């Protein structure tokens, strides 16, 4: 199989994955989901004219004569229990924040500006204007208003608004479940001191975080040795769990222990492609089981993360109903770069603002095992296949990572 250009590979992925799936979920589960329909308010908010302050509900005209006026306290309106009568001229109602403003009252004399004499005589210490400190019914939204647009990613404020508008469940896009299998005889989890010949498995954490940021749920199936039976069992677990995407880490190349592709095929996966014309990350597998897409990422930590940015992110976002808009920007090179070969290169770089715009400076070390370099990079310089050698100041394109 020849090396596939990145864009062709992405197009093949999009051809083969299902459309975003609708579902109804309870509010707490809707966090980060995409709203499928415009959301209409079920009632006015506030539902009644409500006081915005603690004080006294009064009629402004009663105070037209100035400071000497006093009105008589005749009742109380609390949040949750309104004053049932109508306020007449010469009367005041004790009122608290959020409580219904009684009929007849047209303003709130706030507590700080009121003086109480003889228990039930209220004087104003300042001029009293009509309409102050009252939240009119429907101020926030009215029944039938569209409070959230279709396609909105339900962020914290949107969730509170949906609740306020009377919705306990929401129609959203299913959040894809991503199962992750780390493969390698040499791997131990972080926190365990690696023995001779062992290294710490790291990729799964970054991949999981990226997928979660894009709207996925994660099922980390842990580390399996380079053993056909063990790997096959983990693949079955992922499918039984209903994973929308299975991400395998490692074992995708041509070494003796690179069993990933073989076992996936034996388990019934239809291979779509293997090997991409990119660096890092050439040995990348994409295929489908019925109901589960498989993305086999290379084991090298930087390769797997770059491939996740380039392939997993768009895939997850598509299933999650989100728009995929990678943050691509023009920049100028801060260092010379050699001619590229026939693979698209994603070069770890630091991008900063210079006098003429963004300047992208590649890190001198680009080894695909170096997470320290990836973590220091805030961007990848994208070098086209067969790009000629470039000088300082030449134009380039960068993919911002953060
Ligand atoms: P592989 O793709 O399995 O040949 O692995 C390539 C390199 O990446 C080897 O040096 C592995 O030890 C390393 N590697 C594989 N899986 C992981 C992982 N989950 N975390 C960190 N390094 C890994
Ligand atoms: Mg391996």
């Amino acid at each position: 199989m020849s090396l596939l250009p990145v864009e062709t590979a992405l197009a093949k992925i999009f051809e083969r994955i299902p459309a975003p799936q609708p579902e109804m979920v309870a509010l707490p589960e809707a966090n980060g989901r995409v709203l499928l329909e415009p959301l209409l308010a079920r009632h006015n908010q506030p539902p009644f004219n409500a006081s915005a302050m603690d004080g006294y509900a009064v009629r402004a005209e009663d105070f037209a004569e100035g400071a000497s006026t006093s009105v008589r306290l005749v009742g109380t309106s609390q949040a949750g229990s309104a004053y049932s009568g109508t306020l007449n001229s010469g009367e005041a109602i004790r009122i608290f924040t959020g409580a219904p403003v009684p009929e007849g009252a047209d303003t709130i004399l706030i507590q700080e500006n009121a003086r109480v004499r003889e228990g039930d005589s209220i004087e104003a210490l300042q001029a009293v204007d009509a309409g102050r400190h009252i939240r009119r019914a429907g101020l926030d939204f009215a029944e039938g208003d569209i409070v959230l647009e279709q396609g909105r990613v339900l962020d914290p404020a949107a969730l509170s608004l949906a609740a306020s508008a009377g919705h306990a469940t929401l129609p959203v896009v299913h959040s894809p479940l991503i199962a992750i299998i780390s493969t390698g005889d040499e791997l131990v989890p972080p926190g365990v001191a690696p023995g001779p010949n062992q290294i710490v498995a790291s990729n799964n954490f970054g991949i999981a975080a990226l997928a979660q940021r894009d709207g996925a749920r994660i099922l980390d199936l842990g580390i399996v040795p380079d053993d056909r039976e063990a790997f096959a069992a983990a693949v079955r677990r992922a499918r039984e769990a209903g994973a929308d995407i299975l991400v395998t880490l490692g074992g995708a190349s041509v070494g003796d222990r690179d069993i990933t592709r073989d076992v996936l095929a034996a388990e019934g996966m239809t291979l779509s492609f293997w090997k991409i014309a990119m660096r890092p990350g050439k040995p990348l597998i994409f295929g489908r089981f019925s109901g589960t897409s498989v993305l086999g990422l290379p084991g090298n930590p930087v390769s797997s993360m770059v491939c996740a940015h380039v392939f997993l992110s768009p895939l997850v976002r598509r299933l999650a109903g989100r728009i995929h808009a990678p943050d691509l920007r023009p920049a100028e090179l801060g260092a010379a770069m050699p001619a590229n070969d026939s693979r698209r290169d994603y070069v770890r770089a630091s991008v900063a603002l210079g006098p003429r715009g963004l300047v992208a400076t590649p890190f001198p070390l680009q080894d695909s095992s170096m997470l320290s370099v990836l973590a220091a990079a805030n961007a990848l310089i994208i070098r086209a296949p067969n790009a000629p050698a470039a000088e300082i100041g030449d134009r380039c394109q960068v993919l911002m990572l953060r």
Side-chain angles (χ1 to χ4, degrees):
M1 233 183 280
S2 65
L3 298 188
L4 210 60
V6 172
E7 298 310 328
T8 314
L10 265 175
K12 278 182 188 279
I13 289 176
F14 283 137
E15 253 169 49
R16 283 166 177 72
I17 59 175
Q21 299 299 303
E23 65 185 14
M24 287 296 286
V25 298
L27 268 180
E29 270 146 67
N31 186 18
R33 304 290 196 95
V34 171
L35 187 63
L36 266 179
E37 295 164 12
L39 202 68
L40 308 189
R42 294 210 158 127
H43 46 241
N44 295 333
Q45 176 60 26
F48 41 78
N49 294 341
S51 179
M53 300 288 279
D54 294 329
Y56 299 89
V58 296
R59 298 159 80 110
E61 63 183 20
D62 286 350
F63 294 88
E65 301 296 305
S68 60
T69 325
S70 72
V71 291
R72 196 165 54 85
L73 191 60
V74 297
T76 300
S77 182
Q78 295 264 22
S81 66
Y83 177 68
S84 54
T86 296
L87 192 84
N88 299 306
S89 184
E91 292 178 347
I93 297 291
R94 184 84 175 103
I95 197 163
F96 299 95
T97 304
V101 176
E103 280 298 315
D106 63 1
T107 194
I108 306 299
L109 168 61
I110 64 171
Q111 196 156 317
E112 294 85 332
N113 292 342
R115 182 160 57 203
V116 186
R117 285 182 183 276
E118 293 150 21
D120 69 347
S121 176
I122 312 294
E123 285 176 13
L125 302 177
Q126 284 187 13
V128 178
D129 301 321
R132 299 294 312 279
H133 310 301
I134 294 176
R135 297 176 181 139
R136 296 281 158 204
L139 170 73
D140 197 1
F141 49 78
E143 181 179 347
D145 281 356
I146 295 179
V147 291
L148 292 168
E149 301 287 347
Q150 175 183 356
R152 167 78 183 242
V153 177
L154 294 163
D155 54 26
L159 286 178
S160 291
L161 175 57
S164 177
H167 296 271
T169 57
L170 294 174
V172 295
V173 179
H174 167 75
S175 162
L177 179 66
I178 316 295
I180 303 176
I181 303 172
S182 307
T183 70
D185 288 344
E186 74 281 28
L187 300 179
V188 293
V192 173
N197 310 315
Q198 291 185 319
I199 67 158
V200 174
S202 53
N203 300 353
N204 52 312
F205 297 98
I207 303 286
L210 186 70
Q212 266 174 326
R213 197 169 78 185
D214 287 322
R217 294 168 297 136
I218 304 298
L219 173 66
D220 193 330
L221 292 171
I223 298 165
V224 300
D226 295 312
D227 170 84
R228 285 170 187 270
E229 243 334 290
F231 180 57
V235 171
R236 277 175 230 140
R237 244 178 295 149
R239 297 184 63 195
E240 281 156 19
D244 297 285
I245 305 173
L246 166 60
V247 173
T248 64
L249 298 171
S253 198
V254 290
D256 290 347
R257 291 196 188 159
D258 291 336
I259 56 169
T260 303
R261 214 163 35 100
D262 259 17
V263 173
L264 286 168
E267 288 297 303
M269 183 192 78
T270 309
L271 182 71
S272 178
F273 59 77
W274 174 50
K275 290 193 176 176
I276 308 289
M278 69 185 281
R279 182 187 318 98
K282 181 171 86 169
L284 183 119
I285 297 165
F286 180 75
R288 289 276 305 169
F289 290 109
S290 65
T292 307
S293 301
V294 181
L295 197 57
L297 301 182
N300 269 310
V302 176
S303 310
S304 67
M305 279 301 286
V306 170
C307 287
H309 278 285
V310 176
F311 296 105
L312 182 61
S313 246
L315 175 51
V316 168
R317 295 183 72 89
R318 168 66 67 95
L319 292 182
R322 297 194 189 191
I323 294 161
H324 180 60
D327 189 359
L328 295 167
R329 302 189 200 183
E332 64 181 63
L333 285 177
M337 296 189 79
N340 193 15
D341 65 9
S342 60
R343 291 199 262 160
R344 182 189 282 186
D345 211 349
Y346 292 88
V347 181
R348 277 69 78 199
S350 125
V351 169
L353 197 56
R356 289 178 303 276
L358 297 180
V359 178
T361 308
F363 285 96
L365 293 175
Q366 293 288 328
D367 189 281
S368 61
S369 71
M370 294 181 71
L371 282 172
S372 57
V373 176
L374 181 67
N378 60 356
L380 299 168
I381 298 172
I382 302 179
R383 297 270 286 152
N386 305 310
E391 299 302 323
I392 291 183
D394 282 358
R395 305 304 299 172
C396 66
Q397 189 187 45
V398 296
L399 170 63
M400 298 303 298
L401 297 177
R402 56 187 164 87

